[in-house]
Amino acid sequence: MIHTIRFRLTVLYSGLLFVLAALVLGGIYFAVSKTTEQRPITTEYAKTYSGDQYLGKREVVFVEEVENAVNVRTMATLRDFSLLTLACLYVASLGIGWVLAGRVLRPVRSITRTTEEIQATDLKRRIRLRGPRDELKDLADTIDTMLDRLEEAFSAQRQLIDDASHELRSPLTIIRANVDAVLAAPDASEEERARAVAIVDRATTRMTRLVEDLLASARRQGTAFADADLDLARVVGEACDEYATPAAARDLTIERTLGAGLAMTGDADALRRAVSNLLSNAVRLSPPGGRIEVGAGRSDGMLWVSVRDDGPGLREADQSRVFDRFWRGEASRRDRHTGLGLAIVRQIVESHGGRVEVSSRLGQGATFTLWLPPSASGRSPA
């Protein structure tokens, strides 16, 4: 108990009150002693006679000596009562200080009790401290805000694990079924084995894509990237260069319209991946001989990047869900796509303080637009 804050506050309060009272009473005593005449009491005697007869000596009392005796007794009484008052005041201040310290620290006990009851599996508890808007109220509100962020992060993490487990379970089941039924069977024909190998290869490719997308999502949520000044047009151009060969293999044309002076602050690798994910979907979904339009510019004080394809497009009801994690359209379900690419795009753009938009009509392709804030200086890096 000696090391508790309540005990230390009690001792501090009592000590300060005791010192203050001692100074006040000492000052009063000193002032009174200086203004009161005091000297040792003396006794004088006088000879008394009755006529010519000597009667002896009698004690003589003078008015000055009476006053002096009264002063000495008064100062002694004042000293004794001052010491007794200080002792009583110190004992009383200990009790009062203990009670007051307990009342002051009551919110701290509430904060401690609530935080002890909070577990990683249940972050719904909140302190919600009532009372005046003081430092302890601000502390409790700050902890509640932190718990809100932690609950949101843990919920997103659990949802990601659940979704990833569900997505990985299907290809693993396919691989296990084909290994047990065909590849491990001694009487399986070569045609059956070849078909099983193709199925296992597609399932493995799907798992590889899923793991890569999960790693990219986890890296962006962490602190692995360092932002720097960059030219958005250069980043978009590099992403287009990476997909020039896959687009040519499907007889697709990538048309670029990139503006100048698109300076911003961000992570070039992450932004390049966001544009690459859009180009990957465009190359995968556009019909052979189609055209992919890529643009970048500035509008209304914001930088923008757009990727338009000639793919199957999106229904209006699906446009609000296209950026959700693990959501897949009909075309993506047919080719076993992971459904994480556009979710990662939104995550990267929002982490840069921007937003994503999609405009599409069923059967008429889709246009994805990334809006990003420019750098404060507005100058492109050298």
Side-chain angles (χ1 to χ4, degrees), residues 46-326:
K47 296 179 180 180
T48 58
Y49 295 88
S50 177
D52 294 334
Q53 184 181 2
Y54 176 69
L55 298 179
K57 293 182 178 181
R58 291 189 179 183
E59 186 176 347
V60 178
V61 178
F62 295 95
V63 176
E64 292 81 0
E65 293 299 330
V66 173
E67 292 178 351
N68 178 60
V70 171
N71 291 339
V72 170
R73 180 63 60 87
T74 300
M75 294 304 300
T77 303
L78 178 61
R79 182 184 62 250
D80 295 339
F81 274 100
S82 296
L83 294 175
L84 180 61
T85 301
L86 282 177
C88 295
L89 181 62
Y90 182 72
V91 174
S93 65
L94 285 175
I96 296 174
W98 182 261
V99 174
L100 291 178
R103 291 180 63 87
V104 171
L105 296 176
R106 184 179 301 169
V108 177
R109 292 198 298 271
S110 176
I111 294 172
T112 303
R113 184 169 54 252
T114 304
T115 52
E116 286 177 349
E117 295 173 356
I118 294 174
Q119 301 177 1
T121 56
D122 182 17
L123 295 174
K124 298 186 180 300
R125 291 291 306 275
R126 295 294 182 271
I127 299 173
R128 294 188 176 88
L129 186 66
R130 301 181 182 276
R133 190 74 185 184
D134 53 12
E135 291 82 355
L136 292 177
K137 183 71 165 57
D138 292 339
L139 174 62
D141 293 344
T142 301
I143 294 177
D144 285 341
T145 303
M146 179 190 68
L147 291 174
D148 290 337
R149 294 195 298 267
L150 286 176
E151 182 183 12
E152 182 179 352
F154 274 95
S155 299
Q157 185 183 55
R158 284 194 295 268
Q159 184 64 38
L160 175 62
I161 293 174
D162 293 341
D163 293 341
S165 300
H166 175 74
E167 293 297 321
L168 287 171
R169 191 177 296 114
S170 296
L172 287 173
T173 301
I174 293 172
I175 294 173
R176 181 65 180 270
N178 282 273
V179 169
D180 291 343
V182 180
L183 297 181
D187 55 345
S189 64
E190 290 299 323
E191 182 180 355
E192 291 174 337
R193 289 179 180 274
R195 185 169 61 252
V197 168
I199 294 174
V200 169
D201 179 69
R202 288 197 299 270
T204 305
T205 302
R206 179 184 173 188
M207 284 196 303
T208 301
R209 289 177 181 172
L210 178 60
V211 171
E212 290 176 350
D213 288 342
L214 287 174
L215 287 175
S217 178
R219 287 195 195 101
R220 191 57 207 176
Q221 288 178 345
T223 58
F225 291 116
D227 291 339
D229 293 334
L230 58 90
D231 184 359
L232 185 59
R234 181 185 301 175
V235 172
V236 176
E238 292 172 353
C240 293
D241 293 338
E242 293 175 358
Y243 277 86
T245 300
R250 301 197 69 237
D251 195 21
L252 298 173
T253 302
I254 298 180
E255 296 184 356
R256 313 181 193 184
T257 306
L258 307 179
L262 305 181
M264 66 169 294
T265 301
D267 186 273
D269 291 335
L271 292 171
R272 189 182 303 110
R273 180 175 179 84
V275 179
S276 297
N277 284 357
L278 296 180
L279 288 172
S280 175
N281 288 342
V283 171
R284 179 173 52 87
L285 298 176
S286 296
R291 183 179 59 179
I292 300 173
E293 299 177 4
V294 180
R298 182 189 298 266
S299 178
D300 297 331
M302 294 286 286
L303 306 184
W304 58 268
V305 177
S306 68
V307 177
R308 185 187 182 282
D309 60 60
D310 291 333
L314 294 166
R315 294 178 298 180
E316 186 175 354
D318 293 337
Q319 294 182 25
S320 60
R321 303 161 50 201
V322 69
F323 293 102
D324 292 343
R325 187 176 288 161
F326 293 108

